[in-house]
Amino acid sequence: ATSDQEAHQKQAEKEAEKGKNRAAENAEEAKHGVLETAKDAAAFVQEKVSQGITAVQNTFNTGASTDRQANNTKDEMKDQASEGKHKLENRANEAKKTAEVKMATSDQEAQQKQAEKDAEKGKNRVAENAEEAKNKVVETAKDGTRAVGEGLEKAKEQATKAGA
């Protein structure tokens, strides 16, 4: 039973290590994904701002309808910012899922540590019970030996009386 318990414990340790490694890999991937999305969004916004500045300059230079072009640029920038926001939200959701996996792994590790403590307690209890049982057997054997010795003494006395 103890070797089965040790085998289960070793398997649990292997599974916990695998889960921990998976969570670390997922966290690293999510971190890189968030960074890439942030870089993309920043480059995109910078490009759109540059386009907006150019559009405004062209509007003033050509004397065209400033309001119409500014509104078009503003709408375009809103649309692009909205797309960037959605990308960031998606990356954040991925990162959240990865964090949840990491938390689950952490819970698994805590449960494994508790199982190890419980197994140690059980092992100690078995050792204590074995020691108590051994002591009882020794005590019972001593009592039996004493009783046999007393019985022999009485038998000798009886035989002595009978012989006398």
Side-chain angles (χ1 to χ4, degrees):
T2 302
S3 75
D4 284 353
Q5 193 175 29
E6 289 170 353
H8 288 305
Q9 182 177 341
K10 285 182 183 175
Q11 187 60 35
E13 289 171 357
K14 286 180 185 177
E15 292 301 323
E17 186 64 27
K18 284 182 188 176
K20 191 169 80 174
N21 292 340
R22 257 195 314 273
E25 289 169 7
N26 290 344
E28 190 63 26
E29 286 177 19
K31 181 179 85 174
H32 288 302
V34 169
L35 289 175
E36 284 301 317
T37 301
K39 286 179 188 176
D40 293 348
F44 181 77
V45 169
Q46 187 177 3
E47 179 187 335
K48 288 301 167 183
V49 167
S50 179
Q51 288 175 359
I53 290 170
T54 302
V56 170
Q57 287 173 341
N58 289 340
T59 300
F60 280 109
N61 290 339
T62 60
S65 169
T66 303
D67 287 342
R68 192 178 73 232
Q69 286 192 13
N71 285 338
N72 288 345
T73 302
K74 185 175 91 176
D75 290 344
E76 221 177 276
M77 287 177 69
K78 270 189 196 174
D79 291 345
Q80 298 303 329
S82 179
E83 285 179 32
K85 178 183 168 194
H86 289 307
K87 280 185 181 180
L88 284 174
E89 285 173 347
N90 289 342
R91 292 292 182 163
N93 286 337
E94 288 175 23
K96 180 181 171 189
K97 288 177 188 171
T98 300
E100 288 169 354
V101 168
K102 193 170 187 175
M103 284 175 56
T105 301
S106 176
D107 288 347
Q108 186 181 12
E109 289 169 353
Q111 289 173 351
Q112 180 183 338
K113 285 181 182 173
Q114 187 59 46
E116 290 170 2
K117 286 180 186 175
D118 292 347
E120 186 64 28
K121 285 180 186 174
K123 192 171 80 174
N124 292 341
R125 244 184 270 124
V126 167
E128 289 170 11
N129 291 345
E131 185 65 24
E132 285 178 26
K134 182 187 83 171
N135 291 342
K136 285 181 183 176
V137 167
V138 168
E139 217 35 59
T140 302
K142 285 180 183 177
D143 290 346
T145 303
R146 217 178 352 263
V148 168
E150 290 172 5
L152 287 174
E153 278 301 313
K154 286 182 182 175
K156 281 183 191 175
E157 289 174 14
Q158 295 285 334
T160 304
K161 287 180 185 175

